[in-house]
Protein backbone atom coordinates (compact mmCIF):
# COMPACT_ATOMS: atom_id res chain seq x y z
CA UNK A 1 0.00 0.00 0.00
CA UNK A 2 1.04 3.57 -0.58
CA UNK A 3 -0.64 6.56 1.04
CA UNK A 4 -3.31 6.98 -1.65
CA UNK A 5 -3.28 3.60 -3.44
CA UNK A 6 -4.28 0.38 -1.70
CA UNK A 7 -2.75 -2.00 -4.27
CA UNK A 8 -0.32 -4.66 -3.11
CA UNK A 9 3.15 -4.93 -4.63
CA UNK A 10 2.82 -6.53 -8.05
CA UNK A 11 -0.81 -5.46 -8.53
CA UNK A 12 0.11 -2.56 -10.83
CA UNK A 13 1.62 -3.13 -14.29
CA UNK A 14 4.73 -1.19 -15.29
CA UNK A 15 2.77 0.38 -18.20
CA UNK A 16 -0.17 2.57 -17.24
CA UNK A 17 -2.85 4.85 -18.65
CA UNK A 18 -3.72 7.90 -16.55
CA UNK A 19 -7.10 9.56 -17.14
CA UNK A 20 -8.06 12.47 -14.89
CA UNK A 21 -11.55 11.07 -14.38
CA UNK A 22 -11.70 7.83 -12.34
CA UNK A 23 -14.88 6.81 -14.18
CA UNK A 24 -12.88 7.01 -17.42
CA UNK A 25 -10.49 4.53 -15.77
CA UNK A 26 -13.43 2.19 -15.20
CA UNK A 27 -14.66 2.71 -18.77
CA UNK A 28 -11.21 1.80 -20.14
CA UNK A 29 -10.95 -1.26 -17.89
CA UNK A 30 -14.42 -2.48 -18.88
CA UNK A 31 -14.15 -1.79 -22.60
CA UNK A 32 -10.48 -2.22 -23.54
CA UNK A 33 -8.85 -4.57 -21.02
CA UNK A 34 -9.36 -8.29 -20.58
CA UNK A 35 -9.63 -9.79 -17.11
CA UNK A 36 -9.41 -6.34 -15.48
CA UNK A 37 -9.03 -6.43 -11.69
CA UNK A 38 -9.79 -3.42 -9.49
CA UNK A 39 -6.78 -2.60 -7.28
CA UNK A 40 -7.72 0.82 -5.91
CA UNK A 41 -10.84 2.48 -4.53
CA UNK A 42 -9.20 4.86 -2.04
CA UNK A 43 -10.89 8.27 -2.44
CA UNK A 44 -12.86 6.78 -5.34
CA UNK A 45 -9.75 7.13 -7.52
CA UNK A 46 -10.25 3.85 -9.35
CA UNK A 47 -7.30 1.79 -10.57
CA UNK A 48 -7.39 -1.48 -12.55
CA UNK A 49 -4.94 -3.93 -14.06
CA UNK A 50 -5.81 -6.14 -17.02
CA UNK A 51 -4.52 -7.25 -20.40
CA UNK A 52 -4.52 -5.59 -23.79
CA UNK A 53 -3.48 -7.85 -26.68
CA UNK A 54 -1.80 -10.12 -24.13
CA UNK A 55 0.23 -7.39 -22.41
CA UNK A 56 -0.35 -6.42 -18.80
CA UNK A 57 -1.57 -2.81 -18.57
CA UNK A 58 -2.95 -0.72 -15.70
CA UNK A 59 -5.23 2.31 -15.72
CA UNK A 60 -5.44 4.75 -12.83
CA UNK A 61 -7.51 7.91 -12.33
CA UNK A 62 -5.42 10.89 -11.21
CA UNK A 63 -8.07 13.53 -10.38
CA UNK A 64 -8.04 17.11 -11.61
CA UNK A 65 -5.06 19.42 -11.33
CA UNK A 66 -1.35 19.04 -10.79
CA UNK A 67 -1.19 18.43 -7.02
CA UNK A 68 -3.50 15.43 -7.43
CA UNK A 69 -1.80 14.10 -10.57
CA UNK A 70 1.63 14.47 -8.93
CA UNK A 71 0.53 12.37 -5.94
CA UNK A 72 -0.64 9.48 -8.12
CA UNK A 73 2.27 9.61 -10.58
CA UNK A 74 4.82 9.74 -7.75
CA UNK A 75 3.32 6.83 -5.82
CA UNK A 76 2.91 4.74 -8.97
CA UNK A 77 6.55 5.23 -9.94
CA UNK A 78 8.19 5.15 -6.51
CA UNK A 79 6.06 2.53 -4.75
CA UNK A 80 4.81 0.35 -7.62
CA UNK A 81 7.62 0.50 -10.19
CA UNK A 82 5.66 2.06 -13.07
CA UNK A 83 7.97 2.79 -16.02
CA UNK A 84 5.71 4.12 -18.79
CA UNK A 85 2.79 6.48 -18.21
CA UNK A 86 0.38 7.84 -20.79
CA UNK A 87 -2.16 10.45 -19.74
CA UNK A 88 -5.46 10.08 -21.62
CA UNK A 89 -7.18 13.37 -20.96
CA UNK A 90 -9.24 16.20 -22.38
CA UNK A 91 -8.20 19.73 -23.32
CA UNK A 92 -9.67 22.97 -24.60
CA UNK A 93 -8.36 24.16 -27.97
CA UNK A 94 -6.91 27.65 -28.42
CA UNK A 95 -6.02 27.19 -32.11
CA UNK A 96 -8.45 27.75 -35.00
CA UNK A 97 -7.30 24.61 -36.81
CA UNK A 98 -7.40 22.33 -33.74
CA UNK A 99 -11.00 21.17 -33.62
CA UNK A 100 -13.20 19.49 -31.09
CA UNK A 101 -12.60 15.70 -31.20
CA UNK A 102 -9.06 16.10 -32.64
CA UNK A 103 -6.21 14.42 -30.82
CA UNK A 104 -3.46 16.54 -29.25
CA UNK A 105 -0.08 14.99 -28.36
CA UNK A 106 1.70 17.20 -25.84
CA UNK A 107 5.28 17.38 -27.09
CA UNK A 108 5.86 19.80 -24.22
CA UNK A 109 3.83 21.53 -21.53
CA UNK A 110 4.08 25.09 -20.27
CA UNK A 111 2.63 25.60 -16.83
CA UNK A 112 1.36 28.16 -14.34
CA UNK A 113 1.94 25.65 -11.52
CA UNK A 114 4.41 26.45 -8.76
CA UNK A 115 5.27 22.77 -8.27
CA UNK A 116 8.23 22.84 -10.63
CA UNK A 117 9.22 26.43 -9.87
CA UNK A 118 9.39 25.53 -6.17
CA UNK A 119 11.96 22.83 -6.94
CA UNK A 120 13.93 24.92 -9.47
CA UNK A 121 13.40 28.60 -8.57
CA UNK A 122 16.27 29.85 -10.77
CA UNK A 123 15.63 27.78 -13.89
CA UNK A 124 12.90 27.50 -16.49
CA UNK A 125 12.89 23.71 -16.69
CA UNK A 126 11.03 22.62 -19.86
CA UNK A 127 8.53 19.80 -19.39
CA UNK A 128 8.82 17.44 -22.36
CA UNK A 129 7.29 14.18 -23.52
CA UNK A 130 9.32 11.02 -23.90
CA UNK A 131 10.44 11.09 -27.52
CA UNK A 132 9.89 7.37 -28.25
CA UNK A 133 6.35 7.40 -26.84
CA UNK A 134 5.58 10.62 -28.71
CA UNK A 135 6.87 9.30 -32.02
CA UNK A 136 5.01 6.01 -31.66
CA UNK A 137 1.73 7.71 -30.70
CA UNK A 138 2.02 10.03 -33.68
CA UNK A 139 2.59 7.08 -36.03
CA UNK A 140 -0.37 5.17 -34.57
CA UNK A 141 -2.65 8.22 -34.78
CA UNK A 142 -1.74 8.74 -38.43
CA UNK A 143 -2.08 5.04 -39.30
CA UNK A 144 -5.55 5.01 -37.72
CA UNK A 145 -6.54 8.10 -39.71
CA UNK A 146 -7.17 10.26 -36.61
CA UNK A 147 -6.57 14.02 -36.86
CA UNK A 148 -3.48 14.29 -34.67
CA UNK A 149 -1.70 17.51 -33.63
CA UNK A 150 1.71 17.63 -31.93
CA UNK A 151 2.97 20.64 -29.98
CA UNK A 152 2.93 22.68 -26.80
CA UNK A 153 0.04 22.65 -24.36
CA UNK A 154 -0.57 24.74 -21.25
CA UNK A 155 -1.08 22.87 -17.98
CA UNK A 156 -2.95 25.48 -15.97
CA UNK A 157 -3.75 25.58 -12.27
CA UNK A 158 -7.00 27.45 -12.84
CA UNK A 159 -10.05 26.10 -14.65
CA UNK A 160 -12.35 29.12 -14.07
CA UNK A 161 -10.29 32.11 -15.20
CA UNK A 162 -11.14 35.80 -14.74
CA UNK A 163 -9.49 36.60 -18.07
CA UNK A 164 -8.51 34.56 -21.13
CA UNK A 165 -6.08 37.22 -22.42
CA UNK A 166 -2.87 35.41 -21.41
CA UNK A 167 -4.28 32.10 -22.63
CA UNK A 168 -5.06 33.49 -26.08
CA UNK A 169 -1.60 35.13 -26.20
CA UNK A 170 -0.09 31.70 -25.56
CA UNK A 171 -2.18 30.49 -28.48
CA UNK A 172 -0.59 33.20 -30.62
CA UNK A 173 2.75 31.65 -29.59
CA UNK A 174 1.65 28.26 -30.90
CA UNK A 175 0.26 26.59 -27.78
CA UNK A 176 -2.41 24.15 -28.98
CA UNK A 177 -4.64 23.75 -25.97
CA UNK A 178 -5.11 23.99 -22.22
CA UNK A 179 -5.49 21.29 -19.62
CA UNK A 180 -4.34 20.76 -16.03
CA UNK A 181 -1.90 17.83 -15.60
CA UNK A 182 0.60 17.17 -18.42
CA UNK A 183 3.43 19.36 -17.08
CA UNK A 184 3.61 17.68 -13.71
CA UNK A 185 3.40 14.23 -15.24
CA UNK A 186 6.46 15.10 -17.33
CA UNK A 187 8.16 16.55 -14.27
CA UNK A 188 7.63 13.39 -12.19
CA UNK A 189 8.85 11.28 -15.13
CA UNK A 190 12.01 13.40 -15.42
CA UNK A 191 12.61 13.27 -11.68
CA UNK A 192 12.43 9.47 -11.52
CA UNK A 193 13.81 8.73 -15.01
CA UNK A 194 10.74 7.02 -16.44
CA UNK A 195 8.78 7.66 -19.64
CA UNK A 196 5.66 9.80 -19.96
CA UNK A 197 3.37 11.14 -22.65
CA UNK A 198 0.13 13.13 -22.51
CA UNK A 199 -2.60 12.57 -25.11
CA UNK A 200 -5.69 14.73 -25.06
CA UNK A 201 -8.96 14.71 -26.93
CA UNK A 202 -10.18 18.25 -27.60
CA UNK A 203 -13.42 18.49 -25.59
CA UNK A 204 -14.21 22.15 -26.24
CA UNK A 205 -12.97 25.15 -28.21
CA UNK A 206 -12.06 28.33 -26.36
CA UNK A 207 -12.09 30.51 -29.51
CA UNK A 208 -15.09 29.27 -31.45
CA UNK A 209 -17.29 27.70 -28.76
CA UNK A 210 -17.41 24.57 -30.93
CA UNK A 211 -19.16 21.71 -29.16
CA UNK A 212 -19.83 18.03 -29.68
CA UNK A 213 -22.45 15.47 -28.74
CA UNK A 214 -21.88 12.96 -25.95
CA UNK A 215 -21.91 10.16 -28.53
CA UNK A 216 -19.24 11.85 -30.67
CA UNK A 217 -17.15 12.54 -27.58
CA UNK A 218 -17.31 8.88 -26.61
CA UNK A 219 -16.17 7.79 -30.07
CA UNK A 220 -13.22 10.18 -29.89
CA UNK A 221 -12.25 8.96 -26.44
CA UNK A 222 -12.20 5.47 -27.88
CA UNK A 223 -9.87 6.65 -30.67
CA UNK A 224 -7.52 8.13 -28.07
CA UNK A 225 -7.50 4.89 -26.04
CA UNK A 226 -6.52 2.93 -29.13
CA UNK A 227 -3.61 5.30 -29.78
CA UNK A 228 -2.51 5.15 -26.14
CA UNK A 229 -2.82 1.38 -25.80
CA UNK A 230 -1.12 0.60 -29.12
CA UNK A 231 1.68 2.98 -28.15
CA UNK A 232 2.15 1.37 -24.74
CA UNK A 233 2.38 -2.16 -26.10
CA UNK A 234 4.56 -1.37 -29.12
CA UNK A 235 7.08 1.01 -27.63
O1 LIG B 1 -10.42 15.04 -18.67
P1 LIG B 1 -9.25 15.16 -17.72
O2 LIG B 1 -8.24 14.09 -17.94
O3 LIG B 1 -9.66 15.25 -16.28
O4 LIG B 1 -8.53 16.55 -18.11
C1 LIG B 1 -9.10 17.84 -18.10
O5 LIG B 1 -10.40 17.94 -17.54
C2 LIG B 1 -10.34 18.49 -16.21
C3 LIG B 1 -11.10 19.79 -16.18
O6 LIG B 1 -12.42 19.62 -16.52
C4 LIG B 1 -8.86 18.69 -15.89
O7 LIG B 1 -8.38 17.58 -15.20
C5 LIG B 1 -8.28 18.82 -17.28
O8 LIG B 1 -6.90 18.58 -17.40
O1 LIG C 1 -11.21 23.97 -21.41
C1 LIG C 1 -10.74 22.98 -20.89
C2 LIG C 1 -11.10 21.69 -21.31
C3 LIG C 1 -10.55 20.64 -20.70
N1 LIG C 1 -9.69 20.86 -19.69
C4 LIG C 1 -9.34 22.09 -19.28
O2 LIG C 1 -8.53 22.24 -18.36
N2 LIG C 1 -9.88 23.11 -19.89
Amino acid sequence: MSVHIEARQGDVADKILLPGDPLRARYIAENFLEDAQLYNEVRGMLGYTGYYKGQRISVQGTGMGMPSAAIYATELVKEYGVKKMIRVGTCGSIQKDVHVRDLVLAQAAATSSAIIRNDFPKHDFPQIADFDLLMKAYEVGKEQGFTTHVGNVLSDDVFYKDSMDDIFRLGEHGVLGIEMEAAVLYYVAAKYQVKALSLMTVSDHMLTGEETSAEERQKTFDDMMIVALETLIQE
Side-chain angles (χ1 to χ4, degrees):
M1 267 192 84
S2 60
V3 175
H4 302 92
I5 302 173
E6 62 191 332
R8 292 161 305 170
Q9 284 302 317
D11 281 352
V12 184
D14 64 356
K15 299 174 179 181
I16 197 160
L17 298 183
L18 301 175
D21 181 354
L23 294 183
R24 199 179 308 144
R26 183 163 79 191
Y27 176 84
I28 295 167
E30 288 176 352
N31 292 281
F32 291 91
L33 300 183
E34 284 172 25
D35 193 23
Q37 306 291 325
L38 179 70
Y39 68 70
N40 191 55
E41 283 187 291
V42 175
R43 291 177 181 251
M45 206 56 73
L46 304 175
Y48 299 83
T49 298
Y51 291 86
Y52 179 76
K53 295 191 175 173
Q55 286 204 35
R56 199 157 174 263
I57 301 279
S58 292
V59 54
Q60 170 70 55
T62 62
M64 289 186 280
M66 283 172 275
S68 184
I71 286 171
Y72 290 100
T74 301
E75 291 184 19
L76 288 165
V77 171
K78 279 187 73 180
E79 310 287 339
Y80 294 101
V82 167
K83 302 283 185 225
K84 290 179 187 167
M85 310 185 277
I86 300 188
R87 165 166 156 70
V88 281
T90 59
C91 70
S93 170
I94 51 173
Q95 293 293 332
K96 280 204 178 65
D97 63 349
V98 177
H99 298 287
V100 168
R101 299 190 303 279
D102 288 358
L103 193 56
V104 168
L105 311 190
Q107 182 177 15
T111 186
S112 59
S113 167
I115 291 180
I116 299 150
R117 203 162 47 239
N118 285 345
D119 274 1
F120 287 98
K122 292 185 183 166
H123 299 85
D124 291 332
F125 176 19
Q127 304 310 313
I128 59 169
D130 175 76
F131 181 72
D132 294 328
L133 287 177
L134 177 66
M135 195 166 59
K136 178 53 71 182
Y138 182 71
E139 282 168 11
V140 174
K142 284 286 169 199
E143 273 164 26
Q144 298 279 339
F146 305 148
T147 306
T148 306
H149 306 269
V150 180
N152 250 331
V153 301
L154 171 67
S155 301
D156 206 351
D157 265 348
V158 180
F159 184 83
Y160 294 110
K161 303 171 217 315
D162 289 339
S163 164
M164 289 297 286
D165 292 354
D166 280 356
I167 304 297
F168 292 145
R169 263 187 345 110
L170 285 168
E172 289 163 12
H173 288 68
V175 172
L176 301 176
I178 57 175
E179 54 85 67
M180 301 178 72
E181 293 85 13
V184 90
L185 183 66
Y186 292 172
Y187 184 57
V188 170
K191 190 168 180 176
Y192 297 108
Q193 303 280 292
V194 299
K195 296 183 170 202
L197 174 65
S198 288
L199 307 186
M200 272 81 63
T201 293
V202 178
S203 57
D204 54 271
H205 206 296
M206 317 309 285
L207 295 170
T208 64
E210 195 185 354
E211 285 178 348
T212 181
S213 71
E215 194 182 332
E216 285 172 320
R217 256 199 317 273
Q218 193 60 62
K219 163 78 175 71
T220 325
F221 281 145
D222 289 356
D223 293 348
M224 174 168 63
M225 300 323 163
I226 290 166
V227 172
L229 285 162
E230 290 293 328
T231 300
L232 268 185
I233 64 166
Q234 285 181 45
E235 197 280 321

